[in-house]
Amino acid sequence: MRFGALVLFAGALGGCSNPVDDMLSGRFSETRAVSPGDAMVGTWTGSMSAYLLTLKINEDGTGLYCYSWNEKHAVNRMKYDGEGLVFQDGSMASIIDLVPDKLIIRPDYSHASRATLRPDEGLVEASPYCAKAMQ
């Protein structure tokens, strides 16, 4: 499906929030990073459906996220905006819970599954691609 057709199809969904809306929003460049506090700062790894996801959150609220699945890998920028994570493609994830041994996030789409991430400062749980890319 061509991108234009994809945009038209997504627009036909009406009030449904979808990733295409976020990609077209320019939200990432407009978002100002906010310090997340010490409990959230660090490197976190966990699964989101079939994807192995690693987040590196800096003290200033900026960071990187990396994912791997089925020979598909990417590393991109993200920001913490005071309420959740805003990813480089414009998509967002809400912070559901934060305790010393886990960070639970949920993308802001009804069909997306939540992810439980655990501290991973040594990148031992990260995919080999993400461990190398985020060192």
Side-chain angles (χ1 to χ4, degrees):
M1 181 181 297
R2 297 174 65 195
F3 183 73
L6 179 61
V7 171
L8 289 174
F9 174 75
L13 294 176
C16 299
S17 176
N18 63 67
V20 174
D21 292 337
D22 287 337
M23 287 189 293
L24 297 174
S25 74
R27 179 183 294 139
F28 181 80
S29 60
E30 295 174 8
T31 298
R32 297 290 173 236
V34 175
S35 177
D38 292 341
M40 196 181 298
V41 172
T43 304
W44 304 82
T45 298
S47 296
M48 180 177 286
S49 298
Y51 290 86
L52 187 56
L53 175 68
T54 300
L55 306 178
K56 182 176 183 182
I57 304 171
N58 301 319
E59 292 177 359
D60 66 355
T62 64
L64 298 173
Y65 73 100
C66 184
Y67 64 83
S68 292
W69 172 72
N70 195 26
E71 307 269 339
K72 294 177 182 23
H73 315 283
V75 61
N76 292 287
R77 298 193 180 282
M78 67 174 189
K79 298 176 185 175
Y80 176 70
D81 69 357
E83 296 180 20
L85 302 172
V86 179
F87 299 104
Q88 183 175 320
D89 66 3
S91 62
M92 296 184 65
S94 298
I95 306 297
I96 295 176
D97 196 9
L98 172 64
V99 294
D101 68 334
K102 66 183 171 183
L103 170 65
I104 302 174
I105 63 171
R106 183 183 53 77
D108 291 346
Y109 308 106
S110 59
H111 65 281
S113 63
R114 69 185 202 170
T116 299
L117 299 105
R118 304 237 179 235
D120 189 20
E121 294 304 321
L123 295 166
V124 296
E125 297 294 326
S127 72
Y129 174 87
C130 292
K132 184 176 180 181
M134 296 180 81
Q135 289 184 3

